[in-house]
Amino acid sequence: MKKLMLMMSCLCLGLMACKPAEQEVVEKTPAALAATQPDCSLNFGIDAWEPYQYMTVDNKPAGLDIEIVKGVLSNMGCQFTVTQGSWTELLLKLKAGEVDAVLGASKTEDRESFAYFSDAYRKERFQLYVRNSNINYPYKNITAYLEAGHKLGIVNQYYYGDDFAALYDNKTFQPLFIGAIISELNIARLLDEEIDGLLEDSFVAASILRRKGLDKYIKPHNISLESADVFIMFSQESISPQQVEAFNTGLTQLKENGDYNKIVNKYSH
């Protein structure tokens, strides 16, 4: 899933709040509470990406990714902690070993220089979202959209795939890419007509627009990127290959005992 290298400063707009202060929440799985393994504790970095990962109003981590990880750690008998921050912040913390893992990541050659990757645990698909008045844009793909000169909102550090990276490297198109630290900023810019469209995971965008009551004003266009595997990144500074292997074993167990499908099905409806 994610992440194209871009840099810009944090902006606060009416439809969103400034980036929240970093939070840390500690939860123990049932297996961890019963086990005598005080050294088995993994800290996961999460950003606000509902319905995959987010903090509830009572400051609890929730979402599809969170439930999958909790299930795996239960099989491992480990404690679960989270650190919340922006994607850019979490990548820096992962490199330094200040968080053990980051959820919802795409595998790239650059990231493999500082992180280990779990087995793929789900897929994601990014889609173009536009104002309702532009839902009939006549373009069949994102290249045609950019060739028409339309500005596109993307999220800093997200990786959208090799084909999209090639478009971003094209000097003709570079001025059309507008980066943001979180999706809500792109949504505000789209409403303010500062950009013409934005790319977001279809589940995430639907959740944000529904929660903010904006699904009548912003609609998914038929343009989408190819679906891609999503992984968990583990810090090479704090996690060993053996621990990653143990996590993958726990993930396999979660799939084989049927709990994985129960979690995914819950978020599919």
Side-chain angles (χ1 to χ4, degrees), residues 240-261:
S240 69
Q242 291 74 24
Q243 288 173 295
V244 178
E245 183 178 353
F247 184 90
N248 288 335
T249 299
L251 178 60
T252 298
Q253 292 174 349
L254 194 73
K255 292 180 177 180
E256 290 178 346
N257 65 22
D259 289 342
Y260 176 89
N261 285 337

Side-chain angles (χ1 to χ4, degrees), residues 38-57:
D39 58 334
C40 185
S41 177
L42 298 180
N43 182 267
F44 286 79
I46 69 170
D47 61 351
W49 224 51
E50 190 177 347
Y52 297 119
Q53 47 184 290
Y54 60 97
M55 303 299 288
T56 64
V57 292

